[in-house]
């Protein structure tokens, strides 16, 4: 800086905090049988960012249910409950910028039930080894 009284030199550090953004989302649709693990959903990372994942029964990235403990840049959806669910993440800045970014909603995550075998007809009585037996099961259709 120069003025009528001489020159002053000053040095310092300027810190620029990046705004949170959804980087390279991996939020594709998946279908699994009950209790078979889904692949993880993930977004990129950034310095000072926090993450909160949400589930939603509709294909929307708002109005979902906060998933307790799902606070990293990746999340593996549970597969223990039969049904359909969607997921999204909100990325926030820990700095004073105080802004947040919400991902697009994931593709459909469907958990199909395990098959249940039931018989409509089965052999009765005592049978010998190497005897052919016929069991009849109903035809079941589902998701």
């Amino acid at each position: 800086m120069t003025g009528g009284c001489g020159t002053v030199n000053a040095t310092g550090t300027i810190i620029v905090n990046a705004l949170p953004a959804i980087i390279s989302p991996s939020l594709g649709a998946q279908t699994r049988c009950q209790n078979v693990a889904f692949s993880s959903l993930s977004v990129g990372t950034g310095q000072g960012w926090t993450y909160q994942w949400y589930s939603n029964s509709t294909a929307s990235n708002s109005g979902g249910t906060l998933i307790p403990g799902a606070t990293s840049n990746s999340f593996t959806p549970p597969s223990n409950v039969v049904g359909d669910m969607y997921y999204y993440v909100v990325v926030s800045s820990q700095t004073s910028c105080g802004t947040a970014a919400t991902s697009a909603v994931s593709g459909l995550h469907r958990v199909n039930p395990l098959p249940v075998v039931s018989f409509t007809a089965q052999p009765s009585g005592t049978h010998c080894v190497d005897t052919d037996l016929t069991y009849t099961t109903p035809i079941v259709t589902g998701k």
Side-chain angles (χ1 to χ4, degrees):
M1 204 153 73
T2 303
C5 297
T7 302
V8 176
N9 292 320
T11 60
T13 302
I14 297 174
I15 298 173
V16 178
N17 294 308
L19 295 175
I22 307 300
I23 302 169
S24 303
S26 172
L27 305 172
Q30 300 179 49
T31 299
R32 298 290 187 270
C33 290
Q34 189 173 15
N35 299 319
V36 175
F38 282 114
S39 298
S40 293
L41 304 175
S42 63
V43 294
T45 59
Q47 184 67 32
W49 291 355
T50 61
Y51 306 86
Q52 181 59 63
W53 289 87
Y54 294 81
S55 62
N56 204 335
S57 59
T58 62
S60 174
N61 67 346
S62 66
T65 301
L66 180 143
I67 303 169
T71 56
S72 73
N73 72 307
S74 65
F75 170 70
T76 303
S79 62
N80 61 324
V81 176
V82 172
D84 296 339
M85 196 62 65
Y86 298 87
Y87 299 93
Y88 63 95
V89 63
V90 175
V91 181
S92 301
S93 173
Q94 291 179 336
T95 66
S96 60
C97 297
T99 58
T102 301
S103 73
V105 68
S106 73
L108 174 66
H109 282 68
R110 174 169 286 161
V111 178
N112 290 324
L114 296 173
V116 176
V117 178
S118 62
F119 298 105
T120 55
Q122 56 187 329
S124 61
T126 304
H127 303 280
C128 296
V129 174
D130 294 327
T131 300
D132 291 334
L133 302 173
T134 301
Y135 289 84
T136 306
T137 59
I139 295 174
V140 178
T141 59
K143 291 183 180 183

mmCIF file of all heavy atoms in Angstrom, residues 86-135:
data_model
loop_
_atom_site.group_PDB
_atom_site.id
_atom_site.type_symbol
_atom_site.label_atom_id
_atom_site.label_comp_id
_atom_site.label_asym_id
_atom_site.label_seq_id
_atom_site.Cartn_x
_atom_site.Cartn_y
_atom_site.Cartn_z
ATOM 1 N N TYR A 86 -36.462 -45.165 -1.383
ATOM 2 C CA TYR A 86 -35.547 -44.268 -2.091
ATOM 3 C C TYR A 86 -34.676 -43.588 -1.044
ATOM 4 O O TYR A 86 -35.054 -43.483 0.121
ATOM 5 C CB TYR A 86 -36.328 -43.209 -2.870
ATOM 6 C CG TYR A 86 -37.227 -43.786 -3.932
ATOM 7 C CD1 TYR A 86 -38.519 -44.189 -3.624
ATOM 8 C CD2 TYR A 86 -36.788 -43.918 -5.239
ATOM 9 C CE1 TYR A 86 -39.363 -44.721 -4.595
ATOM 10 C CE2 TYR A 86 -37.623 -44.442 -6.219
ATOM 11 C CZ TYR A 86 -38.904 -44.843 -5.892
ATOM 12 O OH TYR A 86 -39.722 -45.358 -6.855
ATOM 13 N N TYR A 87 -33.512 -43.062 -1.488
ATOM 14 C CA TYR A 87 -32.577 -42.437 -0.556
ATOM 15 C C TYR A 87 -32.002 -41.163 -1.169
ATOM 16 O O TYR A 87 -31.908 -41.028 -2.387
ATOM 17 C CB TYR A 87 -31.435 -43.403 -0.213
ATOM 18 C CG TYR A 87 -31.938 -44.649 0.458
ATOM 19 C CD1 TYR A 87 -32.245 -45.790 -0.281
ATOM 20 C CD2 TYR A 87 -32.157 -44.681 1.837
ATOM 21 C CE1 TYR A 87 -32.749 -46.928 0.334
ATOM 22 C CE2 TYR A 87 -32.655 -45.809 2.453
ATOM 23 C CZ TYR A 87 -32.949 -46.929 1.695
ATOM 24 O OH TYR A 87 -33.456 -48.041 2.307
ATOM 25 N N TYR A 88 -31.609 -40.243 -0.297
ATOM 26 C CA TYR A 88 -30.889 -39.047 -0.723
ATOM 27 C C TYR A 88 -30.030 -38.555 0.434
ATOM 28 O O TYR A 88 -30.190 -39.001 1.571
ATOM 29 C CB TYR A 88 -31.836 -37.952 -1.230
ATOM 30 C CG TYR A 88 -32.809 -37.396 -0.214
ATOM 31 C CD1 TYR A 88 -32.515 -36.232 0.501
ATOM 32 C CD2 TYR A 88 -34.036 -38.015 0.026
ATOM 33 C CE1 TYR A 88 -33.418 -35.711 1.418
ATOM 34 C CE2 TYR A 88 -34.938 -37.499 0.940
ATOM 35 C CZ TYR A 88 -34.618 -36.343 1.630
ATOM 36 O OH TYR A 88 -35.511 -35.837 2.540
ATOM 37 N N VAL A 89 -29.101 -37.663 0.128
ATOM 38 C CA VAL A 89 -28.190 -37.149 1.154
ATOM 39 C C VAL A 89 -28.186 -35.619 1.090
ATOM 40 O O VAL A 89 -28.297 -35.032 0.018
ATOM 41 C CB VAL A 89 -26.761 -37.716 0.970
ATOM 42 C CG1 VAL A 89 -26.141 -37.286 -0.355
ATOM 43 C CG2 VAL A 89 -25.852 -37.346 2.129
ATOM 44 N N VAL A 90 -28.081 -35.008 2.266
ATOM 45 C CA VAL A 90 -27.900 -33.565 2.373
ATOM 46 C C VAL A 90 -26.470 -33.329 2.847
ATOM 47 O O VAL A 90 -26.044 -33.882 3.872
ATOM 48 C CB VAL A 90 -28.908 -32.926 3.351
ATOM 49 C CG1 VAL A 90 -28.612 -31.445 3.539
ATOM 50 C CG2 VAL A 90 -30.334 -33.132 2.850
ATOM 51 N N VAL A 91 -25.726 -32.536 2.074
ATOM 52 C CA VAL A 91 -24.334 -32.224 2.385
ATOM 53 C C VAL A 91 -24.289 -30.780 2.866
ATOM 54 O O VAL A 91 -24.775 -29.877 2.185
ATOM 55 C CB VAL A 91 -23.431 -32.401 1.144
ATOM 56 C CG1 VAL A 91 -21.981 -32.093 1.492
ATOM 57 C CG2 VAL A 91 -23.560 -33.816 0.586
ATOM 58 N N SER A 92 -23.730 -30.579 4.063
ATOM 59 C CA SER A 92 -23.648 -29.248 4.651
ATOM 60 C C SER A 92 -22.197 -28.879 4.905
ATOM 61 O O SER A 92 -21.331 -29.740 5.009
ATOM 62 C CB SER A 92 -24.407 -29.203 5.985
ATOM 63 O OG SER A 92 -25.752 -29.538 5.793
ATOM 64 N N SER A 93 -21.958 -27.583 5.052
ATOM 65 C CA SER A 93 -20.629 -27.075 5.357
ATOM 66 C C SER A 93 -20.511 -26.814 6.851
ATOM 67 O O SER A 93 -21.418 -26.245 7.452
ATOM 68 C CB SER A 93 -20.400 -25.777 4.578
ATOM 69 O OG SER A 93 -19.196 -25.180 4.979
ATOM 70 N N GLN A 94 -19.404 -27.232 7.440
ATOM 71 C CA GLN A 94 -19.164 -26.964 8.868
ATOM 72 C C GLN A 94 -18.652 -25.548 9.079
ATOM 73 O O GLN A 94 -18.521 -25.088 10.191
ATOM 74 C CB GLN A 94 -18.143 -27.949 9.434
ATOM 75 C CG GLN A 94 -18.640 -29.368 9.530
ATOM 76 C CD GLN A 94 -17.560 -30.296 10.077
ATOM 77 O OE1 GLN A 94 -16.374 -30.035 9.980
ATOM 78 N NE2 GLN A 94 -17.984 -31.406 10.663
ATOM 79 N N THR A 95 -18.329 -24.853 7.999
ATOM 80 C CA THR A 95 -17.787 -23.503 8.116
ATOM 81 C C THR A 95 -18.913 -22.502 8.251
ATOM 82 O O THR A 95 -20.090 -22.837 8.228
ATOM 83 C CB THR A 95 -16.953 -23.165 6.854
ATOM 84 O OG1 THR A 95 -17.844 -23.102 5.735
ATOM 85 C CG2 THR A 95 -15.886 -24.210 6.608
ATOM 86 N N SER A 96 -18.552 -21.268 8.340
ATOM 87 C CA SER A 96 -19.550 -20.210 8.499
ATOM 88 C C SER A 96 -20.363 -19.971 7.228
ATOM 89 O O SER A 96 -21.299 -19.181 7.239
ATOM 90 C CB SER A 96 -18.852 -18.915 8.930
ATOM 91 O OG SER A 96 -17.913 -18.532 7.939
ATOM 92 N N CYS A 97 -20.004 -20.634 6.145
ATOM 93 C CA CYS A 97 -20.768 -20.454 4.905
ATOM 94 C C CYS A 97 -22.217 -20.897 5.106
ATOM 95 O O CYS A 97 -23.126 -20.326 4.523
ATOM 96 C CB CYS A 97 -20.146 -21.233 3.753
ATOM 97 S SG CYS A 97 -18.484 -20.669 3.344
ATOM 98 N N GLY A 98 -22.423 -21.926 5.925
ATOM 99 C CA GLY A 98 -23.747 -22.341 6.348
ATOM 100 C C GLY A 98 -24.704 -22.755 5.246
ATOM 101 O O GLY A 98 -25.908 -22.626 5.404
ATOM 102 N N THR A 99 -24.208 -23.229 4.161
ATOM 103 C CA THR A 99 -25.092 -23.655 3.081
ATOM 104 C C THR A 99 -25.161 -25.168 3.015
ATOM 105 O O THR A 99 -24.337 -25.864 3.583
ATOM 106 C CB THR A 99 -24.607 -23.107 1.723
ATOM 107 O OG1 THR A 99 -23.275 -23.581 1.510
ATOM 108 C CG2 THR A 99 -24.629 -21.594 1.700
ATOM 109 N N ALA A 100 -26.154 -25.696 2.317
ATOM 110 C CA ALA A 100 -26.326 -27.143 2.170
ATOM 111 C C ALA A 100 -26.700 -27.453 0.734
ATOM 112 O O ALA A 100 -27.273 -26.625 0.033
ATOM 113 C CB ALA A 100 -27.405 -27.648 3.124
ATOM 114 N N ALA A 101 -26.376 -28.659 0.325
ATOM 115 C CA ALA A 101 -26.761 -29.151 -1.002
ATOM 116 C C ALA A 101 -27.445 -30.494 -0.815
ATOM 117 O O ALA A 101 -27.020 -31.304 0.004
ATOM 118 C CB ALA A 101 -25.525 -29.302 -1.890
ATOM 119 N N THR A 102 -28.516 -30.711 -1.554
ATOM 120 C CA THR A 102 -29.266 -31.961 -1.473
ATOM 121 C C THR A 102 -29.077 -32.734 -2.771
ATOM 122 O O THR A 102 -29.219 -32.167 -3.854
ATOM 123 C CB THR A 102 -30.761 -31.680 -1.246
ATOM 124 O OG1 THR A 102 -30.903 -30.931 -0.033
ATOM 125 C CG2 THR A 102 -31.561 -32.961 -1.126
ATOM 126 N N SER A 103 -28.769 -34.015 -2.650
ATOM 127 C CA SER A 103 -28.572 -34.846 -3.842
ATOM 128 C C SER A 103 -29.897 -35.087 -4.542
ATOM 129 O O SER A 103 -30.972 -34.868 -3.980
ATOM 130 C CB SER A 103 -27.960 -36.196 -3.455
ATOM 131 O OG SER A 103 -28.935 -37.006 -2.807
ATOM 132 N N ALA A 104 -29.805 -35.581 -5.746
ATOM 133 C CA ALA A 104 -30.986 -36.111 -6.418
ATOM 134 C C ALA A 104 -31.422 -37.349 -5.649
ATOM 135 O O ALA A 104 -30.644 -37.942 -4.904
ATOM 136 C CB ALA A 104 -30.654 -36.472 -7.866
ATOM 137 N N VAL A 105 -32.661 -37.745 -5.804
ATOM 138 C CA VAL A 105 -33.136 -38.951 -5.145
ATOM 139 C C VAL A 105 -32.517 -40.164 -5.841
ATOM 140 O O VAL A 105 -32.257 -40.135 -7.046
ATOM 141 C CB VAL A 105 -34.687 -39.011 -5.140
ATOM 142 C CG1 VAL A 105 -35.236 -39.200 -6.540
ATOM 143 C CG2 VAL A 105 -35.195 -40.085 -4.201
ATOM 144 N N SER A 106 -32.252 -41.208 -5.069
ATOM 145 C CA SER A 106 -31.683 -42.433 -5.639
ATOM 146 C C SER A 106 -32.707 -43.126 -6.519
ATOM 147 O O SER A 106 -33.898 -42.808 -6.487
ATOM 148 C CB SER A 106 -31.266 -43.395 -4.522
ATOM 149 O OG SER A 106 -32.411 -43.981 -3.911
ATOM 150 N N GLY A 107 -32.246 -44.113 -7.240
ATOM 151 C CA GLY A 107 -33.159 -45.005 -7.927
ATOM 152 C C GLY A 107 -33.885 -45.866 -6.899
ATOM 153 O O GLY A 107 -33.525 -45.882 -5.715
ATOM 154 N N LEU A 108 -34.886 -46.566 -7.336
ATOM 155 C CA LEU A 108 -35.671 -47.431 -6.462
ATOM 156 C C LEU A 108 -34.801 -48.529 -5.854
ATOM 157 O O LEU A 108 -34.041 -49.185 -6.558
ATOM 158 C CB LEU A 108 -36.813 -48.078 -7.249
ATOM 159 C CG LEU A 108 -37.642 -49.125 -6.508
ATOM 160 C CD1 LEU A 108 -38.405 -48.485 -5.363
ATOM 161 C CD2 LEU A 108 -38.589 -49.816 -7.464
ATOM 162 N N HIS A 109 -34.915 -48.722 -4.543
ATOM 163 C CA HIS A 109 -34.273 -49.834 -3.841
ATOM 164 C C HIS A 109 -35.382 -50.760 -3.377
ATOM 165 O O HIS A 109 -36.161 -50.415 -2.495
ATOM 166 C CB HIS A 109 -33.434 -49.325 -2.667
ATOM 167 C CG HIS A 109 -32.136 -48.758 -3.106
ATOM 168 N ND1 HIS A 109 -32.046 -47.586 -3.827
ATOM 169 C CD2 HIS A 109 -30.881 -49.218 -2.962
ATOM 170 C CE1 HIS A 109 -30.782 -47.349 -4.097
ATOM 171 N NE2 HIS A 109 -30.047 -48.325 -3.587
ATOM 172 N N ARG A 110 -35.450 -51.909 -4.020
ATOM 173 C CA ARG A 110 -36.533 -52.866 -3.744
ATOM 174 C C ARG A 110 -35.968 -54.078 -3.022
ATOM 175 O O ARG A 110 -34.972 -54.661 -3.438
ATOM 176 C CB ARG A 110 -37.189 -53.293 -5.049
ATOM 177 C CG ARG A 110 -38.227 -54.399 -4.858
ATOM 178 C CD ARG A 110 -39.051 -54.612 -6.094
ATOM 179 N NE ARG A 110 -39.984 -53.482 -6.176
ATOM 180 C CZ ARG A 110 -40.605 -53.118 -7.290
ATOM 181 N NH1 ARG A 110 -40.389 -53.761 -8.413
ATOM 182 N NH2 ARG A 110 -41.443 -52.103 -7.275
ATOM 183 N N VAL A 111 -36.649 -54.471 -1.938
ATOM 184 C CA VAL A 111 -36.304 -55.695 -1.207
ATOM 185 C C VAL A 111 -37.444 -56.676 -1.441
ATOM 186 O O VAL A 111 -38.586 -56.419 -1.046
ATOM 187 C CB VAL A 111 -36.117 -55.434 0.300
ATOM 188 C CG1 VAL A 111 -35.821 -56.742 1.028
ATOM 189 C CG2 VAL A 111 -35.001 -54.426 0.534
ATOM 190 N N ASN A 112 -37.133 -57.768 -2.125
ATOM 191 C CA ASN A 112 -38.129 -58.804 -2.396
ATOM 192 C C ASN A 112 -38.159 -59.819 -1.257
ATOM 193 O O ASN A 112 -37.124 -60.124 -0.665
ATOM 194 C CB ASN A 112 -37.811 -59.523 -3.711
ATOM 195 C CG ASN A 112 -38.045 -58.636 -4.914
ATOM 196 O OD1 ASN A 112 -38.971 -57.835 -4.942
ATOM 197 N ND2 ASN A 112 -37.196 -58.763 -5.914
ATOM 198 N N PRO A 113 -39.342 -60.370 -0.967
ATOM 199 C CA PRO A 113 -39.435 -61.358 0.112
ATOM 200 C C PRO A 113 -38.774 -62.667 -0.283
ATOM 201 O O PRO A 113 -38.678 -63.001 -1.470
ATOM 202 C CB PRO A 113 -40.942 -61.539 0.289
ATOM 203 C CG PRO A 113 -41.521 -61.193 -1.039
ATOM 204 C CD PRO A 113 -40.632 -60.124 -1.612
ATOM 205 N N LEU A 114 -38.332 -63.390 0.720
ATOM 206 C CA LEU A 114 -37.816 -64.734 0.483
ATOM 207 C C LEU A 114 -38.987 -65.655 0.138
ATOM 208 O O LEU A 114 -40.107 -65.452 0.628
ATOM 209 C CB LEU A 114 -37.089 -65.252 1.721
ATOM 210 C CG LEU A 114 -35.839 -64.464 2.100
ATOM 211 C CD1 LEU A 114 -35.296 -64.967 3.436
ATOM 212 C CD2 LEU A 114 -34.791 -64.553 1.015
ATOM 213 N N PRO A 115 -38.762 -66.654 -0.692
ATOM 214 C CA PRO A 115 -39.867 -67.551 -1.046
ATOM 215 C C PRO A 115 -40.317 -68.379 0.158
ATOM 216 O O PRO A 115 -39.519 -68.732 1.023
ATOM 217 C CB PRO A 115 -39.270 -68.444 -2.127
ATOM 218 C CG PRO A 115 -37.801 -68.350 -1.963
ATOM 219 C CD PRO A 115 -37.518 -67.015 -1.349
ATOM 220 N N VAL A 116 -41.590 -68.636 0.201
ATOM 221 C CA VAL A 116 -42.172 -69.491 1.234
ATOM 222 C C VAL A 116 -42.801 -70.674 0.517
ATOM 223 O O VAL A 116 -43.640 -70.497 -0.365
ATOM 224 C CB VAL A 116 -43.243 -68.746 2.057
ATOM 225 C CG1 VAL A 116 -43.901 -69.683 3.055
ATOM 226 C CG2 VAL A 116 -42.624 -67.553 2.758
ATOM 227 N N VAL A 117 -42.379 -71.845 0.862
ATOM 228 C CA VAL A 117 -42.884 -73.047 0.206
ATOM 229 C C VAL A 117 -44.119 -73.538 0.948
ATOM 230 O O VAL A 117 -44.114 -73.696 2.168
ATOM 231 C CB VAL A 117 -41.815 -74.152 0.167
ATOM 232 C CG1 VAL A 117 -42.372 -75.415 -0.464
ATOM 233 C CG2 VAL A 117 -40.579 -73.670 -0.576
ATOM 234 N N SER A 118 -45.172 -73.744 0.193
ATOM 235 C CA SER A 118 -46.369 -74.356 0.771
ATOM 236 C C SER A 118 -46.868 -75.397 -0.226
ATOM 237 O O SER A 118 -46.658 -75.276 -1.425
ATOM 238 C CB SER A 118 -47.448 -73.304 1.043
ATOM 239 O OG SER A 118 -47.849 -72.699 -0.160
ATOM 240 N N PHE A 119 -47.493 -76.415 0.294
ATOM 241 C CA PHE A 119 -47.960 -77.502 -0.553
ATOM 242 C C PHE A 119 -49.476 -77.517 -0.591
ATOM 243 O O PHE A 119 -50.133 -77.387 0.431
ATOM 244 C CB PHE A 119 -47.448 -78.852 -0.036
ATOM 245 C CG PHE A 119 -45.945 -78.952 -0.041
ATOM 246 C CD1 PHE A 119 -45.220 -78.872 1.139
ATOM 247 C CD2 PHE A 119 -45.261 -79.114 -1.232
ATOM 248 C CE1 PHE A 119 -43.844 -78.958 1.131
ATOM 249 C CE2 PHE A 119 -43.879 -79.193 -1.242
ATOM 250 C CZ PHE A 119 -43.165 -79.126 -0.059
ATOM 251 N N THR A 120 -50.021 -77.661 -1.799
ATOM 252 C CA THR A 120 -51.467 -77.820 -1.923
ATOM 253 C C THR A 120 -51.830 -79.295 -1.925
ATOM 254 O O THR A 120 -52.960 -79.656 -1.624
ATOM 255 C CB THR A 120 -51.994 -77.161 -3.216
ATOM 256 O OG1 THR A 120 -51.285 -77.692 -4.329
ATOM 257 C CG2 THR A 120 -51.806 -75.656 -3.151
ATOM 258 N N ALA A 121 -50.866 -80.135 -2.273
ATOM 259 C CA ALA A 121 -51.083 -81.591 -2.223
ATOM 260 C C ALA A 121 -49.740 -82.246 -1.963
ATOM 261 O O ALA A 121 -48.726 -81.865 -2.528
ATOM 262 C CB ALA A 121 -51.668 -82.091 -3.532
ATOM 263 N N GLN A 122 -49.754 -83.228 -1.092
ATOM 264 C CA GLN A 122 -48.529 -83.961 -0.810
ATOM 265 C C GLN A 122 -48.866 -85.423 -0.550
ATOM 266 O O GLN A 122 -49.976 -85.739 -0.143
ATOM 267 C CB GLN A 122 -47.783 -83.339 0.365
ATOM 268 C CG GLN A 122 -48.572 -83.209 1.647
ATOM 269 C CD GLN A 122 -47.781 -82.430 2.695
ATOM 270 O OE1 GLN A 122 -46.572 -82.473 2.717
ATOM 271 N NE2 GLN A 122 -48.486 -81.737 3.555
ATOM 272 N N PRO A 123 -47.900 -86.286 -0.836
ATOM 273 C CA PRO A 123 -48.162 -87.709 -0.651
ATOM 274 C C PRO A 123 -48.409 -88.045 0.819
ATOM 275 O O PRO A 123 -47.869 -87.411 1.710
ATOM 276 C CB PRO A 123 -46.887 -88.379 -1.152
ATOM 277 C CG PRO A 123 -45.994 -87.318 -1.647
ATOM 278 C CD PRO A 123 -46.581 -86.000 -1.324
ATOM 279 N N SER A 124 -49.238 -89.012 1.031
ATOM 280 C CA SER A 124 -49.476 -89.470 2.398
ATOM 281 C C SER A 124 -49.010 -90.913 2.507
ATOM 282 O O SER A 124 -48.737 -91.573 1.516
ATOM 283 C CB SER A 124 -50.967 -89.362 2.727
ATOM 284 O OG SER A 124 -51.712 -90.174 1.838
ATOM 285 N N GLY A 125 -48.887 -91.385 3.710
ATOM 286 C CA GLY A 125 -48.499 -92.781 3.920
ATOM 287 C C GLY A 125 -47.005 -92.945 4.014
ATOM 288 O O GLY A 125 -46.237 -92.004 4.044
ATOM 289 N N THR A 126 -46.569 -94.202 4.017
ATOM 290 C CA THR A 126 -45.166 -94.562 4.110
ATOM 291 C C THR A 126 -44.665 -94.932 2.724
ATOM 292 O O THR A 126 -45.348 -95.624 1.971
ATOM 293 C CB THR A 126 -44.997 -95.773 5.057
ATOM 294 O OG1 THR A 126 -45.568 -95.430 6.318
ATOM 295 C CG2 THR A 126 -43.544 -96.139 5.226
ATOM 296 N N HIS A 127 -43.438 -94.493 2.394
ATOM 297 C CA HIS A 127 -42.886 -94.737 1.063
ATOM 298 C C HIS A 127 -41.478 -95.305 1.194
ATOM 299 O O HIS A 127 -40.763 -95.031 2.148
ATOM 300 C CB HIS A 127 -42.862 -93.441 0.259
ATOM 301 C CG HIS A 127 -44.229 -92.825 0.142
ATOM 302 N ND1 HIS A 127 -45.153 -93.255 -0.759
ATOM 303 C CD2 HIS A 127 -44.832 -91.836 0.850
ATOM 304 C CE1 HIS A 127 -46.264 -92.549 -0.619
ATOM 305 N NE2 HIS A 127 -46.089 -91.679 0.354
ATOM 306 N N CYS A 128 -41.090 -96.083 0.219
ATOM 307 C CA CYS A 128 -39.775 -96.720 0.217
ATOM 308 C C CYS A 128 -38.764 -95.830 -0.504
ATOM 309 O O CYS A 128 -39.114 -94.957 -1.291
ATOM 310 C CB CYS A 128 -39.852 -98.073 -0.487
ATOM 311 S SG CYS A 128 -40.916 -99.237 0.392
ATOM 312 N N VAL A 129 -37.487 -96.107 -0.241
ATOM 313 C CA VAL A 129 -36.397 -95.416 -0.919
ATOM 314 C C VAL A 129 -36.537 -95.657 -2.416
ATOM 315 O O VAL A 129 -36.960 -96.728 -2.863
ATOM 316 C CB VAL A 129 -35.040 -95.941 -0.405
ATOM 317 C CG1 VAL A 129 -33.884 -95.360 -1.191
ATOM 318 C CG2 VAL A 129 -34.882 -95.652 1.075
ATOM 319 N N ASP A 130 -36.157 -94.667 -3.214
ATOM 320 C CA ASP A 130 -36.205 -94.709 -4.674
ATOM 321 C C ASP A 130 -37.629 -94.764 -5.228
ATOM 322 O O ASP A 130 -37.844 -95.210 -6.356
ATOM 323 C CB ASP A 130 -35.365 -95.872 -5.241
ATOM 324 C CG ASP A 130 -33.877 -95.689 -4.965
ATOM 325 O OD1 ASP A 130 -33.415 -94.519 -4.950
ATOM 326 O OD2 ASP A 130 -33.179 -96.695 -4.770
ATOM 327 N N THR A 131 -38.599 -94.348 -4.458
ATOM 328 C CA THR A 131 -39.977 -94.253 -4.942
ATOM 329 C C THR A 131 -40.230 -92.802 -5.315
ATOM 330 O O THR A 131 -39.920 -91.884 -4.544
ATOM 331 C CB THR A 131 -40.976 -94.662 -3.843
ATOM 332 O OG1 THR A 131 -40.688 -96.004 -3.462
ATOM 333 C CG2 THR A 131 -42.403 -94.561 -4.321
ATOM 334 N N ASP A 132 -40.768 -92.564 -6.511
ATOM 335 C CA ASP A 132 -41.098 -91.205 -6.927
ATOM 336 C C ASP A 132 -42.324 -90.709 -6.180
ATOM 337 O O ASP A 132 -43.319 -91.431 -6.035
ATOM 338 C CB ASP A 132 -41.367 -91.151 -8.436
ATOM 339 C CG ASP A 132 -40.104 -91.383 -9.256
ATOM 340 O OD1 ASP A 132 -39.004 -91.106 -8.741
ATOM 341 O OD2 ASP A 132 -40.228 -91.827 -10.405
ATOM 342 N N LEU A 133 -42.233 -89.472 -5.699
ATOM 343 C CA LEU A 133 -43.343 -88.840 -4.996
ATOM 344 C C LEU A 133 -43.652 -87.513 -5.689
ATOM 345 O O LEU A 133 -42.768 -86.873 -6.219
ATOM 346 C CB LEU A 133 -42.989 -88.576 -3.529
ATOM 347 C CG LEU A 133 -42.588 -89.806 -2.710
ATOM 348 C CD1 LEU A 133 -42.097 -89.376 -1.348
ATOM 349 C CD2 LEU A 133 -43.767 -90.759 -2.580
ATOM 350 N N THR A 134 -44.897 -87.096 -5.654
ATOM 351 C CA THR A 134 -45.291 -85.836 -6.275
ATOM 352 C C THR A 134 -45.859 -84.890 -5.227
ATOM 353 O O THR A 134 -46.768 -85.240 -4.488
ATOM 354 C CB THR A 134 -46.349 -86.067 -7.373
ATOM 355 O OG1 THR A 134 -45.801 -86.957 -8.355
ATOM 356 C CG2 THR A 134 -46.753 -84.755 -8.025
ATOM 357 N N TYR A 135 -45.280 -83.718 -5.178
ATOM 358 C CA TYR A 135 -45.772 -82.634 -4.326
ATOM 359 C C TYR A 135 -46.302 -81.552 -5.263
ATOM 360 O O TYR A 135 -45.715 -81.276 -6.306
ATOM 361 C CB TYR A 135 -44.638 -82.032 -3.488
ATOM 362 C CG TYR A 135 -44.147 -82.934 -2.387
ATOM 363 C CD1 TYR A 135 -43.204 -83.930 -2.627
ATOM 364 C CD2 TYR A 135 -44.601 -82.762 -1.096
ATOM 365 C CE1 TYR A 135 -42.747 -84.748 -1.608
ATOM 366 C CE2 TYR A 135 -44.146 -83.574 -0.064
ATOM 367 C CZ TYR A 135 -43.223 -84.554 -0.323
ATOM 368 O OH TYR A 135 -42.773 -85.354 0.690
#
